[in-house]
Coordinates of all heavy atoms in Angstrom, one line a residue:
M28 N 58.5 0.5 149.7 CA 58.6 -0.9 149.9 C 57.7 -1.5 148.8 O 56.6 -1.2 148.7 CB 58.3 -1.4 151.3 CG 58.3 -2.9 151.5 SD 58.0 -3.4 153.1 CE 56.4 -2.7 153.5
A29 N 58.2 -2.5 148.1 CA 57.3 -3.3 147.1 C 56.4 -4.1 147.9 O 56.8 -4.8 148.9 CB 58.2 -4.0 146.3
V30 N 55.2 -4.3 147.5 CA 54.2 -5.2 148.0 C 54.6 -6.5 147.5 O 55.1 -6.7 146.5 CB 52.8 -4.7 147.6 CG1 51.7 -5.7 148.1 CG2 52.5 -3.3 148.1
A31 N 54.1 -7.5 148.3 CA 54.4 -9.0 148.1 C 55.8 -9.4 148.3 O 56.3 -10.4 147.7 CB 54.0 -9.4 146.6
T32 N 56.5 -8.6 149.2 CA 57.9 -8.9 149.5 C 57.7 -9.1 151.1 O 57.1 -8.3 151.7 CB 58.8 -7.8 149.3 OG1 58.9 -7.7 147.8 CG2 60.2 -8.1 149.8
S33 N 58.4 -10.1 151.6 CA 58.4 -10.2 153.0 C 59.1 -9.0 153.7 O 59.9 -8.4 153.1 CB 59.1 -11.5 153.4 OG 60.5 -11.4 153.4
L34 N 58.6 -8.8 155.0 CA 59.2 -7.8 155.7 C 60.7 -7.9 155.8 O 61.4 -7.0 155.9 CB 58.5 -7.7 157.1 CG 58.6 -6.4 157.8 CD1 58.0 -5.3 157.0 CD2 57.7 -6.5 159.1
M35 N 61.1 -9.2 156.0 CA 62.5 -9.5 156.2 C 63.3 -9.1 154.9 O 64.3 -8.3 155.0 CB 62.8 -11.0 156.5 CG 64.2 -11.5 156.6 SD 65.0 -11.8 155.0 CE 64.3 -13.4 154.6
R36 N 62.7 -9.4 153.8 CA 63.5 -9.1 152.4 C 63.5 -7.6 152.3 O 64.5 -7.0 151.8 CB 62.9 -9.8 151.3 CG 63.1 -11.3 151.4 CD 63.3 -12.0 150.0 NE 63.5 -13.4 150.2 CZ 64.7 -13.9 150.3 NH1 65.8 -13.1 150.4 NH2 64.8 -15.2 150.5
A37 N 62.4 -7.0 152.6 CA 62.3 -5.5 152.4 C 63.4 -4.8 153.3 O 64.0 -3.8 153.0 CB 61.0 -4.9 152.8
A38 N 63.5 -5.4 154.6 CA 64.4 -4.8 155.5 C 65.9 -5.0 155.1 O 66.7 -4.1 155.2 CB 64.3 -5.5 157.0
L39 N 66.1 -6.2 154.6 CA 67.5 -6.5 154.2 C 67.9 -5.6 152.9 O 68.9 -5.0 152.8 CB 67.7 -7.9 153.7 CG 67.7 -8.9 155.0 CD1 67.9 -10.3 154.4 CD2 68.8 -8.6 155.9
G40 N 66.9 -5.4 152.1 CA 67.1 -4.5 150.9 C 67.3 -3.1 151.2 O 67.7 -2.3 150.4
N41 N 66.8 -2.7 152.3 CA 66.9 -1.3 152.8 C 67.9 -1.1 154.0 O 67.8 -0.1 154.6 CB 65.5 -0.7 153.2 CG 64.7 -0.5 151.9 OD1 64.8 0.4 151.2 ND2 63.8 -1.6 151.7
Q42 N 68.8 -2.1 154.1 CA 69.8 -2.0 155.1 C 69.3 -1.7 156.5 O 69.9 -0.9 157.3 CB 70.9 -1.0 154.7 CG 71.8 -1.4 153.5 CD 71.1 -1.1 152.2 OE1 70.6 0.0 152.1 NE2 71.1 -2.1 151.3
V43 N 68.2 -2.4 156.9 CA 67.8 -2.1 158.3 C 68.6 -2.9 159.2 O 68.8 -4.1 159.1 CB 66.2 -2.6 158.3 CG1 65.7 -2.5 159.8 CG2 65.4 -1.6 157.5
R44 N 69.2 -2.2 160.2 CA 70.0 -2.9 161.1 C 69.2 -3.8 162.1 O 68.1 -3.4 162.4 CB 70.9 -1.8 161.9 CG 71.8 -1.1 161.0 CD 72.5 0.0 161.7 NE 72.9 -0.2 163.0 CZ 73.6 0.6 163.8 NH1 73.8 1.8 163.2 NH2 74.1 0.4 164.9
G45 N 69.8 -4.9 162.4 CA 69.2 -5.8 163.3 C 68.4 -6.9 162.7 O 67.9 -7.8 163.4
I46 N 68.2 -6.9 161.4 CA 67.6 -8.0 160.7 C 68.6 -8.8 160.0 O 69.3 -8.3 159.1 CB 66.5 -7.6 159.7 CG1 65.4 -6.8 160.4 CG2 65.9 -8.8 158.9 CD1 64.6 -7.6 161.3
V47 N 68.8 -10.1 160.3 CA 69.9 -10.9 159.7 C 69.3 -11.8 158.6 O 69.9 -11.8 157.4 CB 70.5 -11.8 160.8 CG1 71.6 -12.6 160.2 CG2 71.0 -10.9 161.9
G48 N 68.2 -12.6 158.8 CA 67.7 -13.4 157.9 C 68.6 -14.5 157.4 O 68.7 -14.8 156.2
E49 N 69.2 -15.1 158.3 CA 70.2 -16.1 158.0 C 69.7 -17.3 157.1 O 70.5 -17.8 156.3 CB 70.9 -16.6 159.2 CG 72.1 -17.4 159.2 CD 72.7 -17.7 160.5 OE1 73.3 -16.8 161.0 OE2 72.5 -18.8 161.0
C50 N 68.6 -17.8 157.3 CA 68.0 -18.9 156.6 C 67.4 -18.6 155.3 O 66.9 -19.4 154.6 CB 67.1 -19.7 157.5 SG 65.5 -18.9 157.7
G51 N 67.3 -17.3 155.0 CA 66.7 -16.8 153.8 C 65.2 -16.8 153.7 O 64.7 -16.6 152.6
G52 N 64.6 -17.0 154.9 CA 63.1 -16.9 154.9 C 62.5 -18.2 155.1 O 61.1 -18.2 154.9
S53 N 63.1 -19.3 155.5 CA 62.4 -20.5 155.6 C 61.9 -20.8 157.1 O 61.6 -21.9 157.4 CB 63.3 -21.6 155.1 OG 64.5 -21.7 155.9
A54 N 62.0 -19.8 157.9 CA 61.6 -19.8 159.3 C 62.3 -20.9 160.1 O 61.7 -21.5 160.9 CB 60.0 -20.1 159.3
T55 N 63.6 -21.0 159.9 CA 64.4 -21.9 160.6 C 65.5 -21.4 161.3 O 66.3 -22.1 161.9 CB 65.0 -23.1 159.6 OG1 65.6 -22.4 158.6 CG2 63.8 -23.9 159.0
C56 N 65.7 -20.0 161.4 CA 66.8 -19.4 162.1 C 66.5 -18.4 163.1 O 67.1 -18.3 164.2 CB 67.8 -18.7 161.0 SG 67.2 -17.1 160.4
G57 N 65.3 -17.8 163.1 CA 64.9 -16.9 164.0 C 65.5 -15.6 164.0 O 65.4 -14.7 165.0
T58 N 66.4 -15.3 163.1 CA 67.3 -14.0 163.1 C 66.6 -12.9 162.4 O 67.2 -11.9 162.1 CB 68.6 -14.3 162.4 OG1 68.4 -14.7 161.0 CG2 69.4 -15.3 163.1
C59 N 65.3 -13.1 162.2 CA 64.5 -12.0 161.5 C 63.4 -11.7 162.4 O 62.4 -10.9 162.1 CB 63.9 -12.3 160.2 SG 62.7 -13.7 160.3
H60 N 63.5 -12.0 163.8 CA 62.6 -11.7 164.8 C 62.3 -10.2 165.0 O 63.2 -9.4 164.9 CB 63.1 -12.2 166.1 CG 62.2 -12.1 167.3 ND1 62.7 -12.1 168.6 CD2 60.8 -11.9 167.4 CE1 61.7 -11.9 169.5 NE2 60.6 -11.8 168.7
V61 N 61.0 -9.8 164.9 CA 60.5 -8.5 165.1 C 59.5 -8.5 166.1 O 58.7 -9.5 166.4 CB 60.2 -7.8 163.9 CG1 61.3 -7.6 162.9 CG2 58.9 -8.5 163.1
Y62 N 59.1 -7.3 166.7 CA 57.9 -7.1 167.5 C 57.0 -6.2 166.8 O 57.5 -5.0 166.4 CB 58.3 -6.5 168.9 CG 59.3 -7.4 169.7 CD1 60.6 -6.9 169.9 CD2 58.8 -8.5 170.4 CE1 61.4 -7.7 170.7 CE2 59.6 -9.2 171.1 CZ 60.9 -8.8 171.3 OH 61.8 -9.5 172.1
L63 N 55.7 -6.6 166.5 CA 54.9 -5.7 165.8 C 54.3 -4.8 166.8 O 53.8 -5.1 168.0 CB 53.7 -6.5 165.3 CG 54.1 -7.5 164.0 CD1 52.9 -8.3 163.7 CD2 54.5 -6.6 162.9
D64 N 54.1 -3.5 166.4 CA 53.6 -2.4 167.2 C 52.2 -2.1 166.7 O 52.0 -1.7 165.4 CB 54.3 -1.2 167.2 CG 55.4 -1.4 168.3 OD1 55.7 -2.4 169.0 OD2 56.2 -0.4 168.3
R65 N 51.1 -2.3 167.4 CA 49.7 -1.9 167.0 C 49.3 -2.5 165.7 O 48.3 -2.0 165.1 CB 49.7 -0.4 166.9 CG 50.0 0.4 168.1 CD 49.8 2.0 167.9 NE 50.2 2.4 166.6 CZ 51.5 2.9 166.3 NH1 52.4 2.9 167.4 NH2 51.8 3.3 165.3
S66 N 49.9 -3.5 165.2 CA 49.6 -4.0 163.9 C 49.4 -5.5 163.8 O 49.4 -6.1 162.8 CB 50.6 -3.6 162.9 OG 51.8 -3.8 163.4
T67 N 49.4 -6.2 165.0 CA 49.2 -7.6 165.1 C 48.0 -8.3 164.3 O 48.1 -9.2 163.8 CB 49.3 -8.1 166.5 OG1 48.3 -7.5 167.2 CG2 50.6 -7.8 167.2
E68 N 47.0 -7.4 164.3 CA 45.8 -7.9 163.7 C 45.8 -7.9 162.2 O 45.0 -8.5 161.5 CB 44.5 -7.1 164.1 CG 44.5 -5.7 163.6 CD 45.4 -4.7 164.3 OE1 46.0 -5.1 165.3 OE2 45.6 -3.7 163.7
Q69 N 46.9 -7.3 161.6 CA 47.0 -7.3 160.2 C 47.4 -8.6 159.6 O 47.4 -8.8 158.3 CB 47.9 -6.2 159.7 CG 47.5 -4.7 160.0 CD 48.4 -3.7 159.4 OE1 49.0 -4.0 158.3 NE2 48.6 -2.7 160.1
F70 N 47.8 -9.5 160.4 CA 48.4 -10.8 160.0 C 47.9 -11.9 160.7 O 47.5 -11.7 161.9 CB 50.0 -10.8 160.1 CG 50.7 -9.7 159.4 CD1 51.1 -8.7 160.1 CD2 50.9 -9.8 158.1 CE1 51.8 -7.6 159.4 CE2 51.6 -8.8 157.4 CZ 52.1 -7.7 158.1
A71 N 47.7 -13.0 160.0 CA 47.2 -14.3 160.7 C 48.2 -14.6 161.9 O 49.4 -14.4 161.6 CB 47.0 -15.4 159.7
P72 N 47.8 -15.1 162.9 CA 48.7 -15.5 164.0 C 49.7 -16.5 163.5 O 49.6 -17.2 162.5 CB 47.8 -16.1 165.0 CG 46.5 -15.8 164.6 CD 46.3 -15.5 163.2
P73 N 50.9 -16.5 164.0 CA 51.9 -17.5 163.7 C 51.5 -19.0 164.0 O 50.9 -19.3 164.9 CB 53.1 -17.1 164.6 CG 52.6 -16.4 165.8 CD 51.3 -15.7 165.2
T74 N 51.8 -19.8 163.1 CA 51.5 -21.2 163.1 C 52.8 -22.0 162.7 O 53.7 -21.5 162.1 CB 50.3 -21.6 162.2 OG1 50.7 -21.4 160.9 CG2 49.0 -20.8 162.7
G75 N 52.7 -23.3 162.9 CA 53.6 -24.3 162.5 C 55.1 -23.8 162.8 O 55.5 -23.7 163.9
D76 N 55.9 -23.8 161.7 CA 57.3 -23.5 161.8 C 57.6 -22.2 162.5 O 58.5 -22.1 163.4 CB 58.0 -23.6 160.5 CG 58.0 -25.0 159.9 OD1 57.9 -26.0 160.6 OD2 58.4 -25.1 158.7
E77 N 56.8 -21.2 162.1 CA 57.1 -19.9 162.7 C 56.8 -19.9 164.2 O 57.6 -19.5 165.0 CB 56.2 -18.7 162.1 CG 56.5 -17.4 162.7 CD 55.6 -16.4 162.1 OE1 54.6 -16.6 161.3 OE2 55.8 -15.1 162.5
D78 N 55.7 -20.5 164.6 CA 55.3 -20.6 166.0 C 56.4 -21.3 166.9 O 56.7 -20.8 167.9 CB 54.0 -21.2 166.2 CG 53.4 -21.1 167.5 OD1 53.6 -20.1 168.2 OD2 53.0 -22.1 168.0
E79 N 56.9 -22.4 166.2 CA 57.9 -23.2 167.0 C 59.3 -22.3 167.0 O 59.9 -22.4 168.0 CB 58.1 -24.5 166.1 CG 59.0 -25.5 166.9 CD 59.0 -26.8 166.2 OE1 57.9 -27.2 165.7 OE2 60.1 -27.4 166.2
M80 N 59.5 -21.8 166.0 CA 60.9 -21.0 165.8 C 61.0 -19.9 166.8 O 61.9 -19.4 167.4 CB 61.1 -20.5 164.5 CG 62.5 -20.0 164.2 SD 63.7 -21.3 164.3 CE 64.8 -20.7 165.7
L81 N 59.8 -19.3 167.0 CA 59.6 -18.1 167.9 C 60.1 -18.4 169.4 O 60.4 -17.6 170.2 CB 58.3 -17.5 168.0 CG 58.1 -16.6 166.6 CD1 56.5 -16.3 166.6 CD2 58.8 -15.4 166.7
E82 N 60.0 -19.7 169.7 CA 60.5 -20.2 171.0 C 62.0 -20.2 171.2 O 62.5 -20.3 172.2 CB 59.9 -21.6 171.3 CG 58.4 -21.7 171.3 CD 57.8 -20.8 172.4 OE1 58.4 -20.6 173.5 OE2 56.7 -20.3 172.2
W83 N 62.7 -20.0 170.1 CA 64.2 -20.1 170.1 C 64.9 -18.8 169.7 O 66.1 -18.9 169.3 CB 64.6 -21.4 169.1 CG 64.0 -22.6 169.6 CD1 62.9 -23.3 169.2 CD2 64.6 -23.4 170.6 NE1 62.7 -24.4 169.9 CE2 63.6 -24.5 170.8 CE3 65.7 -23.4 171.4 CZ2 63.9 -25.6 171.7 CZ3 65.9 -24.3 172.3 CH2 65.0 -25.5 172.4
T84 N 64.2 -17.8 169.6 CA 64.8 -16.5 169.2 C 65.7 -16.0 170.3 O 65.6 -16.4 171.5 CB 63.8 -15.4 168.9 OG1 62.9 -15.3 170.0 CG2 63.0 -15.8 167.7
A85 N 66.8 -15.2 169.9 CA 67.8 -14.8 170.9 C 67.1 -13.8 172.0 O 67.4 -13.9 173.1 CB 68.9 -14.0 170.1
A86 N 66.3 -12.9 171.4 CA 65.6 -12.1 172.4 C 64.2 -12.8 172.7 O 63.7 -13.6 172.1 CB 65.2 -10.8 171.6
P87 N 63.8 -12.5 173.9 CA 62.5 -13.2 174.4 C 61.3 -13.0 173.5 O 61.1 -11.9 172.9 CB 62.3 -12.5 175.7 CG 63.5 -11.8 176.1 CD 64.2 -11.5 174.9
R88 N 60.6 -14.0 173.4 CA 59.2 -13.9 172.6 C 58.3 -13.1 173.5 O 58.2 -13.3 174.7 CB 58.8 -15.4 172.4 CG 57.4 -15.4 171.6 CD 57.0 -16.8 171.3 NE 55.8 -16.7 170.4 CZ 55.3 -17.9 169.9 NH1 55.7 -19.1 170.2 NH2 54.2 -17.8 169.1
A89 N 57.5 -12.3 172.7 CA 56.5 -11.6 173.4 C 55.2 -11.9 172.6 O 55.2 -12.6 171.6 CB 56.7 -10.2 173.3
A90 N 54.1 -11.4 173.2 CA 52.8 -11.7 172.5 C 52.7 -11.1 171.0 O 52.1 -11.6 170.1 CB 51.6 -11.1 173.2
N91 N 53.6 -10.1 170.7 CA 53.5 -9.4 169.4 C 54.7 -9.9 168.6 O 55.1 -9.2 167.6 CB 53.4 -7.9 169.5 CG 54.6 -7.4 170.3 OD1 55.3 -8.1 171.0 ND2 54.8 -6.0 170.3
S92 N 55.5 -11.0 169.1 CA 56.7 -11.5 168.3 C 56.3 -12.2 167.0 O 55.3 -12.7 166.9 CB 57.4 -12.5 169.1 OG 58.2 -11.8 170.1
R93 N 57.0 -11.8 166.0 CA 56.8 -12.5 164.6 C 58.2 -12.7 164.1 O 59.1 -12.0 164.3 CB 55.9 -11.6 163.8 CG 54.5 -11.4 164.2 CD 53.7 -12.8 164.4 NE 53.6 -13.5 163.2 CZ 52.5 -13.6 162.4 NH1 51.6 -12.8 162.7 NH2 52.6 -14.4 161.3
L94 N 58.2 -13.6 163.0 CA 59.4 -13.8 162.1 C 59.1 -12.9 160.9 O 58.1 -13.2 160.2 CB 59.7 -15.2 161.8 CG 59.9 -16.1 162.9 CD1 60.1 -17.5 162.3 CD2 61.2 -15.6 163.7
S95 N 59.9 -11.9 160.8 CA 59.5 -11.0 159.6 C 59.6 -11.6 158.3 O 59.0 -11.1 157.3 CB 60.4 -9.7 159.6 OG 61.8 -10.1 159.6
C96 N 60.2 -12.7 158.1 CA 60.3 -13.4 156.9 C 58.9 -14.1 156.6 O 58.7 -14.4 155.4 CB 61.4 -14.5 156.8 SG 61.1 -15.9 157.9
Q97 N 58.1 -14.2 157.5 CA 56.7 -14.7 157.3 C 55.6 -13.7 157.2 O 54.4 -14.0 156.9 CB 56.4 -15.8 158.5 CG 57.4 -16.8 158.8 CD 57.6 -17.7 157.4 OE1 56.7 -18.3 157.0 NE2 58.8 -17.7 157.0
L98 N 56.1 -12.4 157.1 CA 55.1 -11.3 157.1 C 55.2 -10.7 155.7 O 56.2 -10.2 155.4 CB 55.3 -10.4 158.2 CG 55.3 -10.8 159.6 CD1 55.6 -9.7 160.6 CD2 53.9 -11.5 160.0
V99 N 54.1 -10.7 155.0 CA 54.1 -10.1 153.6 C 53.1 -9.0 153.7 O 51.8 -9.2 153.6 CB 53.8 -11.1 152.5 CG1 53.7 -10.4 151.2 CG2 54.8 -12.3 152.6
P100 N 53.6 -7.7 153.8 CA 52.6 -6.6 153.9 C 51.8 -6.4 152.6 O 52.3 -6.8 151.5 CB 53.6 -5.4 154.1 CG 54.7 -5.9 154.7 CD 54.9 -7.4 154.0
T101 N 50.7 -5.8 152.8 CA 49.8 -5.5 151.7 C 49.7 -3.9 151.6 O 50.2 -3.2 152.5 CB 48.4 -6.1 151.8 OG1 47.8 -5.5 153.0 CG2 48.5 -7.6 152.1
Q102 N 48.9 -3.5 150.7 CA 48.7 -2.0 150.6 C 48.1 -1.5 151.9 O 48.4 -0.4 152.4 CB 47.7 -1.7 149.4 CG 48.3 -2.0 148.1 CD 49.4 -1.1 147.7 OE1 49.7 0.0 148.3 NE2 50.1 -1.3 146.5
E103 N 47.4 -2.3 152.6 CA 46.6 -1.9 153.8 C 47.6 -1.8 154.9 O 47.3 -1.3 156.1 CB 45.5 -2.8 154.1 CG 44.3 -2.7 153.2 CD 44.5 -3.4 151.8 OE1 45.2 -4.4 151.8 OE2 44.0 -2.8 150.9
S104 N 48.9 -2.4 154.8 CA 49.8 -2.3 155.8 C 50.7 -1.2 155.8 O 51.9 -1.2 156.2 CB 50.7 -3.6 155.6 OG 49.9 -4.8 155.7
A105 N 50.3 -0.2 155.1 CA 51.3 1.0 154.8 C 51.8 1.7 156.1 O 52.9 2.1 156.2 CB 50.5 2.0 154.1
E106 N 51.1 1.5 157.2 CA 51.4 2.1 158.4 C 52.0 1.1 159.5 O 51.9 1.3 160.7 CB 50.4 3.0 159.1 CG 50.1 4.1 158.1 CD 49.1 5.1 158.8 OE1 49.0 5.1 160.1 OE2 48.4 5.8 158.0
L107 N 52.5 0.0 158.9 CA 53.0 -1.0 159.8 C 54.2 -0.6 160.5 O 55.2 0.1 160.0 CB 53.5 -2.2 158.7 CG 54.0 -3.5 159.4 CD1 52.9 -4.2 160.2 CD2 54.5 -4.4 158.3
V108 N 54.2 -0.8 161.8 CA 55.3 -0.4 162.7 C 55.9 -1.6 163.4 O 55.1 -2.4 164.0 CB 54.9 0.7 163.8 CG1 56.0 1.0 164.7 CG2 54.4 1.9 163.1
V109 N 57.2 -1.8 163.3 CA 57.8 -3.0 164.0 C 59.1 -2.4 164.9 O 59.6 -1.5 164.4 CB 58.3 -4.1 163.0 CG1 57.1 -4.6 162.2 CG2 59.3 -3.6 162.1
R110 N 59.4 -3.2 165.8 CA 60.6 -3.0 166.5 C 61.5 -4.2 166.4 O 61.1 -5.2 166.4 CB 60.3 -2.7 168.0 CG 59.6 -1.5 168.3 CD 59.4 -1.2 169.9 NE 58.6 -2.3 170.3 CZ 59.0 -3.2 171.3 NH1 60.3 -3.1 171.7 NH2 58.3 -4.0 171.8
V111 N 62.8 -3.9 166.2 CA 63.9 -4.9 166.2 C 64.3 -5.2 167.5 O 64.7 -4.2 168.2 CB 64.9 -4.5 165.1 CG1 65.9 -5.6 165.0 CG2 64.3 -4.2 163.7
P112 N 64.5 -6.5 167.9 CA 65.0 -6.8 169.2 C 66.5 -6.4 169.4 O 67.2 -6.1 168.2 CB 65.0 -8.3 169.3 CG 64.1 -8.9 168.2 CD 64.1 -7.6 167.1
A113 N 67.0 -6.3 170.5 CA 68.4 -5.8 170.8 C 69.4 -6.8 170.2 O 70.5 -6.6 169.9 CB 68.6 -5.6 172.3
E114 N 69.0 -8.1 170.1 CA 69.9 -9.2 169.6 C 69.2 -10.2 168.8 O 67.9 -10.4 169.1 CB 70.6 -9.9 170.7 CG 69.7 -10.4 171.8 CD 70.4 -11.0 172.9 OE1 71.6 -11.3 172.8 OE2 69.8 -11.4 173.9
Q115 N 69.8 -10.7 167.8 CA 69.2 -11.7 166.9 C 69.9 -13.0 166.9 O 69.4 -14.1 166.6 CB 69.1 -11.2 165.5 CG 68.2 -10.1 165.2 CD 66.7 -10.5 165.2 OE1 66.3 -11.5 165.7 NE2 65.9 -9.6 164.6
V116 N 71.1 -13.0 167.4 CA 71.9 -14.3 167.5 C 72.5 -14.4 168.8 O 72.7 -13.5 169.5 CB 73.0 -14.4 166.3 CG1 72.3 -14.4 165.0 CG2 73.9 -13.2 166.4
Ligands
FES8 FE1 65.3 -17.1 159.2 FE2 63.2 -15.5 159.1 S1 65.0 -15.5 158.0 S2 63.5 -17.3 160.3

């Protein structure tokens, strides 16, 4: 995976099932919802549009819920593990 690419774009580029990315990454659709496993501290907590949109995702929001379009992994994120919800729309 290329660094400086959002997790959503990397997922779409690698045909990861369950990531839709309908809005193209503007945090307005919630179809890139993921659950971070053991890696929530790697990213700043969700704020603003992401925090608001997480209230409207198809699958329930959890403490480790994020919009993958707002997550840009770094070299230190090499062991990033995420789960895709059962539904996105
Ligand atoms: Fe739409 Fe992430 S792609 S909220």
Side-chain angles (χ1 to χ4, degrees):
M28 175 173 63
V30 176
T32 297
S33 75
L34 203 55
M35 178 274 287
R36 292 213 177 275
L39 291 180
N41 288 282
Q42 292 82 45
V43 174
R44 291 170 49 177
I46 300 293
V47 179
E49 191 172 285
C50 73
S53 59
T55 59
C56 72
T58 62
C59 66
H60 180 203
V61 295
Y62 299 109
L63 289 176
D64 280 0
R65 305 184 315 271
S66 49
T67 55
E68 71 283 349
Q69 293 187 35
F70 301 100
T74 60
D76 291 342
E77 181 184 7
D78 189 43
E79 188 173 321
M80 192 67 241
L81 283 167
E82 298 297 331
W83 298 97
T84 53
R88 181 180 187 170
N91 60 344
S92 284
R93 296 301 302 263
L94 297 181
S95 60
C96 67
Q97 303 302 301
L98 303 176
V99 179
T101 65
Q102 292 289 355
E103 291 73 36
S104 304
E106 294 186 23
L107 184 63
V108 176
V109 301
R110 290 183 301 113
V111 178
E114 56 185 345
Q115 291 284 21
V116 291

